[in-house]
Amino acid sequence: MAQSNYLQLFIDEGREHVQNMNDHLLQLEKNPTALPIIEEVFRSAHTLKGMAASMEFQDLATLTHAMENVLDVLRNETGKATSEMFDEVFNAVDAVEEMIDDIAEGGNGSRDIDPHLAHLKALTSEDVDETAATVEITQSLSYDEFEQTVLDQSVEQGYTPYEITITLDASTLLKAARVHMAFQALGDHGEVIKASPPVEELEEENFEHTFTVAFISTKSIEELKAILYNVSEIASVEIEAITDRLMQREENFEQEESDTERFTGKNETKRTIKINVERLDTLMNLFEEWIVDRGRLERTAQSLQNQALTETVERMSRISTDLQAVILNMRMMPVENVFNRFPRMVRKVSKDLGKKIKMEIEGEKTELDRSIIDEIGDPLVHLLRNSIDHGIELPEHRLAAGKNEEGTVRLSAYHSDNHVYIQVSDDGAGIDKEKLVNKAISQGIIAEEDAKTMTAPEKYQLLFSSGFSTAEEITDVSGRGVGLDVVRQTFESLGGVVSVDAEPGQGSVFSVQLPLTLSIIEALLVQVENETYGIPISAITETMIISETDIHKTYHQEVIEFRGTLIPLLFLHDVFQVPKAVGDSHYEPFYDVIIVQKGKRYTGLVVDAFIGHHEVVLKSLGNFLLETFAISGATVIGDGEVALIIDTNALVK
């Protein structure tokens, strides 16, 4: 029976080791002889095997053991890494990941692993079989700090440390006597540091016929073999100098054992703790309620004009601001949690399409709220697959264009102001915006007359139109015209904006602007008739008051001049069909306008009055009101009134 107390820990750490193997296998593919990378992959496979065995997930333990054997071939330099080898090991890692996912969903992790075992076994060389690998590991000695110091000092004094494995003849009757004679023969030419089994066990003859000693001497391997073979009934002698590599390997195994002990609960000492995300969500929900109550208290204090109450509320506000920063930081995660899954995907898709692609990742430590991290994975997959399929050319086409046959896809992230920017760029064929326009006209997405007045950004934005596709044929990778439309909708639902820029023949750049968090936002509360709305501060460029004479009309659209260009003007009471307040018939020659921005486009929103800047908790409208136009959620303000939060992305065309 699986140890349920450690099941979640097993799943979490198992996934970390799968990701670690994926990352380092990709590095190893570029540098197949790098021993530290091989050791890193081996260590993850070895630790995962130990964890699976302790949890009684036998198929998982068996498969990771077979992966170890393949890696051992590379580690011992008895075989060379090939593309086929990497494909099979990657496939095995995928199988391991699926087994862990099955366990996470309540399964037992069992699956048909025979095909993987057969492929992995075929990759191991004939003279390095499973038994040999196991024997080497089990017979290698480990050294404590004192013994390691003795070995180090012996090297400094001109001695050579050896590990000598002696096998007695199977017919030996007095094994202890032969061990004594072997120790005596060695003692004349050096010093025995350690024996396995221990000397006491050897004297009691508690061993089969083989034992190993750590020995320091100035003699050569050949001289020591000649000395030992003079002892009767010794069948074989194997001697290996203890190299730095061997010592390093022992350190690695100690680390692996430490990992396994930590997993099984034998070592509880940790510098950090893991918290279930549901507890963090609960903490966040409680804090959001506190923010709502704080707003009510602030209004009450203002209305009562009580100095003591006002000072207490101000102190409470300062503390809650600090508390908010702490809670939000706890929810922040580096985007590498999403980025790490893409190199494998890029490798597979590029091989399927016969392209050579190098993937570069920058800014993977940039942090975002966990709720956003959970949502951006799939749309980024769409952008990357489109760059690989439509952007990067085939090697022969790149060579003909004077480019390196290997294309580059770069995924980068950086933080600026209150936003995180993610970019997917490539050095491929770029995008022909005139071709986009012609496609859009032929597919009925825009009218030929509208195309004449479109700017370059507006032409590129056609890529995100519903049903639009430039692919001549539908493939497994793209071409159905649904990907980029869904990408835009997903990012906009997160309060983000996606834009594209390109240069024919040079490549393209897809840029995504995302808020740091979705839960608590800063908003400008405004009055529209008798209703209150919130507009996210992050979308506002500036506010202004204009007169009636500043408003012009063109193409049945009211516009105003802003920074030298005409931008559309929207009256929110018309957009949301807000009924006129009873008795409100006065004429107002001036208008309060909020300029909001989406990418490089602006729109003016006319409201009745500015209420002020507030920190609000954004709440979902629920499943029944998901499709409400231009509304992203709601919040409860200080007096208990519900204010709708405007989705400005839906209003800026």
Side-chain angles (χ1 to χ4, degrees):
M1 178 186 293
Q3 302 175 36
S4 56
N5 289 343
Y6 299 108
L7 184 59
Q8 190 57 49
L9 186 58
F10 166 80
I11 294 167
D12 293 342
E13 297 204 359
R15 285 172 171 160
E16 289 175 6
H17 283 294
V18 166
Q19 186 61 55
N20 189 53
M21 285 192 287
N22 273 325
D23 292 345
H24 286 89
L25 281 170
L26 288 168
Q27 294 178 30
L28 188 62
E29 193 172 26
K30 298 174 184 173
N31 188 7
T33 59
L35 187 59
I37 302 176
I38 298 172
E39 294 283 5
E40 187 65 30
V41 182
F42 187 93
R43 192 171 76 84
S44 280
H46 183 77
T47 305
L48 198 49
K49 181 184 74 172
M51 292 162 56
S54 65
M55 296 292 288
E56 301 178 8
F57 297 125
Q58 193 54 48
D59 285 349
L60 191 50
T62 303
L63 184 55
T64 48
H65 180 64
M67 293 167 59
E68 272 188 294
N69 290 342
V70 175
L71 295 166
D72 213 43
V73 170
L74 302 179
R75 205 167 64 147
N76 293 326
E77 300 176 356
T78 55
K80 292 184 178 179
T82 63
S83 178
E84 180 193 6
M85 175 180 285
F86 281 110
D87 287 344
E88 295 301 340
V89 176
F90 273 128
N91 290 337
V93 173
D94 288 342
V96 168
E97 186 174 21
E98 289 171 5
M99 294 159 85
I100 293 174
D101 288 343
D102 178 59
I103 293 168
E105 293 172 0
N108 59 10
S110 296
R111 61 172 293 164
D112 181 14
I113 60 172
D114 289 343
H116 292 292
L117 295 178
H119 290 141
L120 293 173
K121 188 174 182 181
L123 295 172
T124 57
S125 60
E126 295 178 356
D127 55 345
V128 182
D129 59 17
E130 179 178 332
T131 305
T134 304
V135 168
E136 180 186 353
I137 293 170
T138 55
Q139 291 192 349
S140 293
L141 297 174
S142 59
Y143 304 98
D144 60 27
E145 187 175 353
F146 172 75
E147 292 162 346
Q148 189 69 57
T149 302
V150 172
L151 293 173
D152 292 341
Q153 290 180 348
S154 70
V155 174
E156 295 172 2
Q157 295 170 7
Y159 290 87
T160 302
Y162 297 105
E163 281 189 2
I164 304 175
T165 301
I166 301 170
T167 303
L168 301 179
D169 192 283
S171 61
T172 302
L173 296 177
L174 300 174
K175 293 189 292 186
R178 298 304 168 196
V179 171
H180 175 74
M181 292 173 67
F183 271 54
Q184 192 172 39
L186 289 172
D188 294 337
H189 304 283
E191 184 177 352
V192 174
I193 304 300
K194 188 171 186 176
S196 176
V199 174
E200 295 80 8
E201 298 291 320
L202 294 173
E203 289 176 347
E204 295 292 332
E205 297 190 353
N206 291 331
F207 67 106
E208 291 294 330
H209 297 91
T210 301
F211 61 97
T212 302
V213 296
F215 181 67
I216 57 172
S217 175
T218 56
K219 297 291 184 181
S220 66
I221 291 177
E222 290 72 20
E223 288 174 322
L224 291 174
K225 281 187 176 182
I227 291 168
L228 287 168
Y229 277 125
N230 282 332
V231 178
S232 60
E233 296 188 304
I234 287 184
S236 68
V237 177
E238 294 179 11
I239 304 178
E240 182 182 11
I242 303 176
T243 62
D244 291 341
R245 174 184 157 187
L246 188 57
M247 292 182 182
Q248 181 62 43
R249 186 182 303 180
E250 295 299 339
E251 292 176 4
N252 289 340
F253 275 112
E254 288 175 6
Q255 181 61 43
E256 291 159 13
E257 294 302 324
S258 173
D259 288 346
T260 302
E261 285 182 0
R262 179 168 54 84
F263 162 72
T264 53
K266 295 178 182 177
N267 185 356
E268 296 288 344
T269 304
K270 296 179 180 178
R271 298 177 63 186
T272 58
I273 60 172
K274 291 186 177 181
I275 301 175
N276 191 313
V277 291
E278 292 179 359
R279 294 187 180 182
L280 281 181
D281 289 343
T282 302
L283 180 60
M284 191 67 185
N285 291 335
L286 291 172
F287 182 73
E288 290 171 354
E289 295 300 325
W290 181 348
I291 291 293
V292 172
D293 288 340
R294 188 191 70 182
R296 290 178 179 173
L297 203 53
E298 285 173 344
R299 288 215 171 188
T300 303
Q302 288 173 1
S303 62
L304 294 178
Q305 295 292 313
N306 183 297
Q307 184 176 353
L309 179 59
T310 301
E311 291 175 355
T312 302
V313 171
E314 287 176 351
R315 175 174 168 73
M316 182 180 170
S317 297
R318 288 195 297 272
I319 293 173
S320 62
T321 300
D322 293 341
L323 183 58
Q324 177 185 345
V326 172
I327 294 175
L328 289 179
N329 273 333
M330 290 168 66
R331 291 171 53 87
M332 299 295 271
M333 295 171 63
V335 292
E336 67 179 345
N337 287 281
V338 177
F339 284 12
N340 284 343
R341 58 190 267 201
F342 297 138
R344 275 293 312 280
M345 185 272 290
V346 171
R347 176 186 183 274
K348 184 176 185 308
V349 175
S350 59
K351 290 192 77 170
D352 291 345
L353 296 175
K355 298 181 178 181
K356 294 185 177 180
I357 296 177
K358 174 177 66 177
M359 185 176 187
E360 296 179 351
I361 293 179
E362 298 173 350
E364 64 272 24
K365 299 299 182 185
T366 306
E367 292 187 329
L368 264 175
D369 189 288
R370 187 187 67 81
S371 59
I372 299 177
I373 291 273
D374 290 344
E375 300 296 328
I376 63 174
D378 288 343
L380 287 178
V381 167
H382 276 289
L383 293 181
L384 287 167
R385 290 169 75 92
N386 271 279
S387 281
I388 298 169
D389 193 18
H390 299 305
I392 302 294
E393 311 95 326
L394 290 166
E396 57 269 28
H397 295 167
R398 291 182 63 87
L399 289 172
K403 296 180 178 179
N404 190 312
E405 66 174 350
E406 183 181 58
T408 300
V409 172
R410 182 176 292 106
L411 179 62
S412 59
Y414 61 94
H415 176 267
S416 179
D417 296 328
N418 286 323
H419 295 93
V420 166
Y421 293 84
I422 297 177
Q423 289 188 334
V424 177
S425 59
D426 65 69
D427 63 349
I431 301 171
D432 185 340
K433 55 181 179 292
E434 299 308 323
K435 185 179 177 181
L436 291 182
V437 171
N438 293 333
K439 275 278 185 183
I441 294 173
S442 66
Q443 295 175 9
I445 294 174
I446 58 171
E448 193 167 351
E449 191 67 25
D450 295 336
K452 294 177 182 177
T453 59
M454 291 179 73
T455 63
E458 289 172 337
K459 291 176 180 177
Y460 287 128
Q461 209 65 20
L462 289 171
L463 284 167
F464 301 102
S465 302
S466 178
F468 182 80
S469 175
T470 59
E472 300 298 335
E473 60 182 34
I474 296 172
T475 68
D476 290 339
V477 178
S478 59
R480 297 184 186 277
V482 295
L484 290 179
D485 179 31
V486 174
V487 166
R488 177 184 58 80
Q489 291 179 20
T490 304
F491 284 132
E492 289 186 356
S493 71
L494 297 171
V497 177
V498 59
S499 60
V500 60
D501 195 8
E503 185 68 34
Q506 302 299 315
S508 57
V509 181
F510 287 81
S511 300
V512 182
Q513 173 188 301
L514 291 166
L516 286 174
T517 181
L518 291 180
S519 301
I520 300 176
I521 63 171
E522 294 185 20
L524 176 64
L525 297 182
V526 298
Q527 194 76 35
V528 179
E529 301 297 344
N530 289 330
E531 297 182 0
T532 303
Y533 291 84
I535 300 175
I537 292 290
S538 59
I540 297 175
T541 301
E542 65 179 70
T543 59
M544 60 174 63
I545 297 175
I546 63 172
S547 70
E548 193 174 41
T549 57
D550 294 325
I551 301 175
H552 310 283
K553 205 158 191 176
T554 176
Y555 294 105
H556 308 292
Q557 169 70 57
E558 281 141 328
V559 298
I560 58 171
E561 186 175 338
F562 175 68
R563 297 181 182 176
T565 60
L566 293 178
I567 65 171
L569 194 65
L570 299 176
F571 290 79
L572 287 188
H573 60 76
D574 291 336
V575 173
F576 296 119
Q577 300 179 0
V578 183
K580 286 278 186 184
V582 176
D584 182 11
S585 59
H586 73 279
Y587 169 72
E588 179 57 68
F590 295 99
Y591 298 95
D592 293 337
V593 177
I594 302 165
I595 307 298
V596 293
Q597 181 178 7
K598 177 184 178 183
K600 295 179 180 177
R601 290 170 290 171
Y602 299 91
T603 293
L605 305 180
V606 181
V607 301
D608 291 341
F610 303 137
I611 296 177
H613 167 255
H614 288 262
E615 204 169 56
V616 299
V617 178
L618 185 61
K619 295 286 187 182
S620 169
L621 291 178
N623 294 331
F624 293 108
L625 298 174
L626 279 180
E627 302 300 324
T628 306
F629 174 70
I631 298 296
S632 59
T635 189
V636 179
I637 54 180
D639 56 3
E641 180 187 0
V642 174
L644 297 175
I645 305 300
I646 297 175
D647 176 10
T648 57
N649 287 330
L651 298 178
V652 182
K653 301 295 184 183

